[in-house]
Amino acid sequence: MRNTISVDIEDWFQVGAFETVIDRNDWDDMELRVERNSDAVLALFARHNIKATFFILGWVAERVPKLIRRIVDAGHEIASHGYAHDRVFTFTVQQFAQDLKKSRAILEDISGVRVSGYRAPSFSIDPRTPWAHEILAEHGYEYSSSVAPIKHDHYGWPDAPRFAYEPLSDSDFLEIPVTTAQLGPKRLAAGGGGFFRLLPYAFSHWAIKQVNQDAGQPAIIYFHPWEIDPKQPRVESAPLKSKLRHYSRLSVMENKLDRLIGDFEWERMDAMVAREKSNRKHMKSAA
């Protein structure tokens, strides 16, 4: 079973935890650490000889274009994370379409490759945005990995399917939810990010094996470059809860990722999507 590992390329000051204390207009005055941290991620992947998917903010791509080309040259997939980390439910339909168009044009122009995947900032495709998948399909995207099928104080769509599904009746467009585990009737977040960083490694290992062996499905894991950067600046004005979520256990993240990557098989998300679509097409034709 091959799982997918993905990296959400955004810098330390662009996260949802700090959106109320760091003004968007001040971003260009912040220390840019995303290039250094992303290069460390590329080195980690190279040591294990794996390929991954990088969901990249257009804002970041404009400022560190050489990083985007290094990602492509290393054989990884380039996908969109929107332009400036705006959550989908803050957009109108027209604004969302414009954001998709803008960010994709930037990524394709810099990278020289086609962008077919999208991940909403903060997994913000949820019941408030029933139109989002249709707009993505209309703009030529083949898949999204924007749904967290859990209940969370910042995001989540707990009634969504746990595994890949076709949200549109007239399209083979796929939504690939981030991984959850099942403990009795309770659905648990297990897709990476802060959950992977804060919880014991044994939990994540168990969750991925459960998804692979019990459900027969690939795990969808994600993290951010700033999560392997314990020396990043501190935002003391942020709420205590936000600071605890953001800064806790940064020093252990890289070693945990190294262990995780070594314990399982991995591939790019577009490869998994192509196989999933082929299997679905075969099943439909057989029926």
Side-chain angles (χ1 to χ4, degrees):
M1 177 68 68
R2 288 190 174 184
N3 302 291
T4 70
I5 193 161
S6 54
V7 189
D8 291 358
I9 299 291
E10 60 201 54
D11 218 331
W12 61 273
F13 53 83
Q14 297 174 310
V15 300
F18 298 152
E19 63 188 1
T20 61
V21 292
I22 297 179
D23 191 279
R24 178 75 54 84
N25 295 323
D26 295 331
W27 280 7
D28 276 316
D29 297 325
M30 299 294 174
E31 179 187 359
L32 202 65
R33 300 175 68 87
V34 67
E35 186 168 18
R36 169 204 170 276
N37 293 333
S38 297
D39 280 337
V41 171
L42 287 172
L44 173 63
F45 289 167
R47 289 198 300 272
H48 288 274
N49 193 30
I50 69 164
K51 305 304 178 187
T53 294
F54 287 71
F55 293 96
I56 304 170
L57 289 182
W59 188 97
V60 170
E62 287 179 326
R63 285 153 179 81
V64 288
K66 291 182 180 179
L67 168 64
I68 311 310
R69 290 191 283 271
R70 288 197 295 274
I71 293 171
V72 173
D73 290 345
H76 302 292
E77 180 190 8
I78 296 291
S80 175
H81 198 34
Y83 179 73
H85 213 262
D86 293 292
R87 302 184 193 202
V88 177
F89 54 74
T90 68
F91 287 135
T92 65
V93 172
Q94 293 76 20
Q95 288 169 337
F96 181 54
Q98 184 60 37
D99 189 76
L100 290 177
K101 183 179 179 180
K102 180 179 181 179
S103 56
R104 186 181 195 176
I106 292 168
L107 293 173
E108 291 186 340
D109 181 61
I110 292 171
S111 69
V113 299
R114 181 173 178 271
V115 169
S116 64
Y118 173 80
R119 173 168 288 154
S122 301
F123 298 102
S124 53
I125 290 183
D126 61 24
R128 290 170 288 186
T129 56
W131 39 263
H133 287 129
E134 183 176 357
I135 302 303
L136 282 160
E138 287 178 357
H139 280 75
Y141 285 86
E142 296 182 9
Y143 75 89
S144 160
S145 181
S146 303
V147 169
I150 58 167
K151 186 176 182 179
H152 187 277
D153 60 343
H154 279 211
Y155 55 79
W157 194 345
D159 296 328
R162 288 181 63 204
F163 305 115
Y165 66 98
E166 295 178 346
L168 305 172
S169 60
D170 58 349
S171 171
D172 67 351
F173 176 89
L174 286 178
E175 173 60 45
I176 315 292
V178 68
T179 283
T180 56
Q182 198 73 31
L183 186 61
K186 191 170 182 61
R187 190 179 288 186
L188 305 174
F195 299 103
F196 176 72
R197 179 162 40 92
L198 297 172
L199 296 174
Y201 178 78
F203 170 78
S204 296
H205 191 275
W206 164 80
I208 293 174
K209 290 195 72 173
Q210 183 198 73
V211 168
N212 290 170
Q213 296 178 2
D214 295 350
Q217 296 285 338
I220 313 301
I221 304 298
Y222 76 98
F223 67 98
H224 309 87
W226 58 261
E227 290 187 278
I228 63 168
D229 182 12
K231 295 182 179 180
Q232 65 187 267
R234 290 315 199 247
V235 182
E236 297 302 337
S237 59
L240 177 60
K241 187 176 182 180
S242 295
K243 288 190 288 188
L244 288 173
R245 280 178 169 170
H246 187 86
Y247 295 118
S248 294
R249 296 177 61 78
L250 294 175
S251 61
V252 307
M253 185 65 165
E254 189 165 2
N255 286 337
K256 290 182 76 174
L257 285 169
D258 187 69
R259 184 178 178 185
L260 183 78
I261 293 169
D263 282 350
F264 297 93
E265 298 292 324
W266 305 95
E267 66 181 352
R268 291 167 36 145
M269 189 165 287
D270 57 352
M272 186 273 286
V273 167
R275 187 170 55 254
E276 179 72 21
K277 288 191 175 187
S278 177
N279 290 341
R280 287 169 180 265
K281 184 177 180 180
H282 178 73
M283 291 174 63
K284 288 177 182 177
S285 62

